[in-house]
Amino acid sequence: MNIRKANKFDIPYFTHIVHKIHEQGDIGEFGITLDDQYLNSMFQVSMYGGIALIAERDDQPIGILTAIIAPNVWNDKVLVMNQLLLYVDEEHRYTRAGYLLLQEYDEICRELVEEKRIQHYTINSAKTMDDIDFGRFGYENIASTWLKVGD
């Protein structure tokens, strides 16, 4: 298994995974429609203004992690790396792919903190990842996001 930085040839995999998550109900059930052109732009923002990592086995992608650097909500002078997507294909879960993606993410973020390019970094957990204890990786749960669809 290999973890590498994503490139433009990984855009179809990223788009496929976002659509798959959408179909599973994490966001689709709230009436959110997907725009592939926008997804392409978001992936490029991750590649060039954040982190985009691919887990692969036998030269095929089996997992992905994306994150972007953005200002802190409360202080725009504080930059934060915000993980957006962490996904491992079902047949490759519990094979260390997710762990290796997180390990690489953590290593890159630690370097950015040391270089003072970011102050801290986050993990966002979707409903499908409720069984993962990110505390064992050194993260602290500080918030939950609740969503209500407008009438």
Side-chain angles (χ1 to χ4, degrees):
M1 186 172 323
N2 180 45
I3 304 298
R4 64 171 173 79
K5 289 188 177 178
N7 60 54
K8 65 182 181 181
F9 300 108
D10 295 309
I11 292 172
Y13 180 72
F14 170 78
T15 303
H16 166 74
I17 294 304
V18 174
H19 278 275
K20 189 172 190 173
I21 292 168
H22 183 268
E23 290 164 9
Q24 291 173 344
D26 272 6
I27 53 178
E29 67 187 89
F30 299 110
I32 298 171
T33 57
L34 299 177
D35 176 347
D36 286 352
Q37 186 174 359
Y38 180 72
L39 293 178
N40 180 325
S41 297
M42 283 302 301
F43 189 69
Q44 291 189 42
V45 167
S46 293
M47 284 193 310
Y48 302 115
I51 298 172
L53 301 171
I54 296 289
E56 60 183 8
R57 174 172 278 149
D58 300 325
D59 295 323
Q60 295 299 314
I62 62 168
I64 188 167
L65 184 148
T66 63
I68 60 170
I69 297 174
N72 178 284
V73 172
W74 309 112
N75 183 341
D76 66 349
K77 293 171 184 40
V78 174
L79 295 179
V80 180
M81 181 71 75
N82 293 298
Q83 174 264 329
L84 302 175
L85 176 66
L86 172 59
Y87 187 87
V88 175
D89 294 339
E90 290 91 354
E91 62 271 20
H92 296 285
R93 292 183 184 163
Y94 309 103
T95 64
R96 295 182 35 92
Y99 172 79
L100 293 173
L101 284 166
L102 281 172
Q103 186 178 41
E104 183 69 15
Y105 173 71
D106 193 65
E107 187 176 308
I108 293 168
C109 288
R110 284 178 192 261
E111 289 175 13
L112 293 172
V113 168
E114 286 177 18
E115 295 168 359
K116 301 198 181 317
R117 293 178 55 198
I118 62 172
Q119 186 168 342
H120 55 273
Y121 46 105
T122 67
I123 291 288
N124 297 302
S125 176
K127 286 191 308 186
T128 56
M129 298 184 347
D130 283 345
D131 62 333
I132 299 173
D133 177 14
F134 291 103
R136 75 177 208 225
F137 300 104
Y139 294 90
E140 181 181 344
N141 186 2
I142 61 166
S144 294
T145 301
W146 297 72
L147 176 67
K148 181 176 181 180
V149 178
D151 298 332

